[in-house]
Amino acid sequence: MTVVLVVAATVVAALLVVLGLASTVAGRRIGILHLAGAGLLEAVLVVQAVLAGVAMAGGDTPADVPTFLGYLSGVLLIPVAGVLWARTEHTRWAGTVLAVAAAAVGVMVWRLLQLWEATGA
Amino acid sequence: MRERGLGRPAEPAPAGGTTGPARVLVLVYGIFALAAGARAGVQLATRYDEAPVAYLLSALAAVIYAVATVGLARGGSTGRRTALTAIVVELVGVLVVGTLSLADPAAFPDETVWSGYGRGYGYVPLVLPVLGLLLLRRGRRDPAPG
């Protein structure tokens, strides 16, 4: 869990929010750019989950392990759910669906960092 | 290339269906069902004795969000009725729990999704049922063609 990764995830998520809202405003469905953005976001989250897992295996654990693991695994599902849900949407709202998913990720990664920095001691 | 990159032109959203704005709401409800459910699960499993009322309320909220998610996603008159019931309960819940948590903080030593009108979740729990009711109302007034 590093601030750098959280910031990276936030930036990608913010871009995806803009991209999603843009296609809603433009009256379009989602395209390759949206899928690429969601893929990149998911990749950052996977790296984060792996690094956190390695750190925890090394004995570096947050105070509230169950909640931390809940967020860590839950956040991985959101971009996937957003893409699946947006791809089958043929109206202009597809982009907003993806934007909402990205915004949720943007909030969750900061909550994750907060949980990580709260040590048991 | 622009078509592929930014998406093909959209189809119009029929009011009252399960597409369009309803789909956005289904995702938000789904995320909240997941969040409230995970939170309740952790709280009940690890420290039930500390604040059973608050934790059971979290679990109840999770169930209500899940029912609303399914109702909105399925649509039709049954789905809409299910969603309406769940959303009304949700609105009453967030208002009652929000008020009680501010009036008597000792009764809610640990946060629930609805504490302080959902301030821990950016007040989305307060706005969500209102949006849900508006959507259901819009659909009823202007039924989907075909």
Side-chain angles (χ1 to χ4, degrees):
Chain A
M1 281 305 301
T2 62
V3 178
V4 177
L5 270 180
V6 170
V7 169
T10 310
V11 170
V12 178
L15 285 175
L16 203 52
V17 169
V18 172
L19 214 51
L21 293 180
S23 64
T24 294
V25 171
R28 291 177 171 273
R29 307 178 199 181
I30 59 165
I32 302 278
L33 278 177
H34 299 82
L35 296 181
L40 184 61
L41 182 60
E42 184 71 12
V44 174
L45 295 175
V46 168
V47 170
Q48 174 181 260
V50 170
L51 288 181
V54 169
M56 285 177 75
D60 191 5
T61 57
D64 191 348
V65 174
T67 305
F68 180 77
L69 289 179
Y71 270 89
L72 196 65
S73 51
V75 78
L76 289 175
L77 299 176
I78 309 285
V80 178
V83 165
L84 291 177
W85 204 232
R87 277 197 79 174
T88 46
E89 173 67 39
H90 294 171
T91 74
R92 55 164 52 196
W93 295 95
T96 305
V97 168
L98 207 54
V100 165
V105 170
V107 172
M108 284 174 81
V109 286
W110 288 96
R111 179 79 186 119
L112 253 177
L113 185 65
Q114 214 177 39
L115 286 165
W116 178 256
E117 286 175 344
T119 50
Chain B
M1 189 56 218
R2 187 157 173 259
E3 294 273 295
R4 279 170 57 84
L6 291 172
R8 284 179 287 161
E11 294 167 5
T18 54
T19 63
R23 211 154 237 258
V24 180
L25 220 50
V26 168
L27 181 71
V28 182
Y29 268 102
I31 290 174
F32 268 87
L34 182 79
R39 173 169 217 159
V42 168
Q43 289 174 333
L44 289 173
T46 59
R47 41 182 194 272
Y48 173 75
D49 296 335
E50 282 175 32
V53 176
Y55 299 160
L56 288 172
L57 269 173
S58 286
L60 176 70
V63 171
I64 291 168
Y65 284 125
V67 171
T69 308
V70 173
L72 286 174
R74 292 191 58 181
S77 61
T78 314
R80 296 167 65 79
R81 204 157 44 233
T82 309
L84 180 66
T85 310
I87 293 171
V88 168
V89 174
E90 178 200 350
L91 184 59
V92 172
V94 71
L95 291 176
V96 169
V97 173
T99 306
L100 286 180
S101 66
L102 295 182
D104 184 10
F108 294 87
D110 205 349
E111 294 270 296
T112 71
V113 190
W114 291 338
S115 296
Y117 304 111
R119 68 182 158 203
Y121 292 84
Y123 294 100
V124 175
L126 185 60
V127 179
L128 200 51
V130 177
L131 291 179
L133 291 177
L134 285 176
L135 184 88
L136 288 173
R137 192 160 158 256
R138 191 185 88 135
R140 194 188 56 194
R141 219 175 32 205
D142 186 13

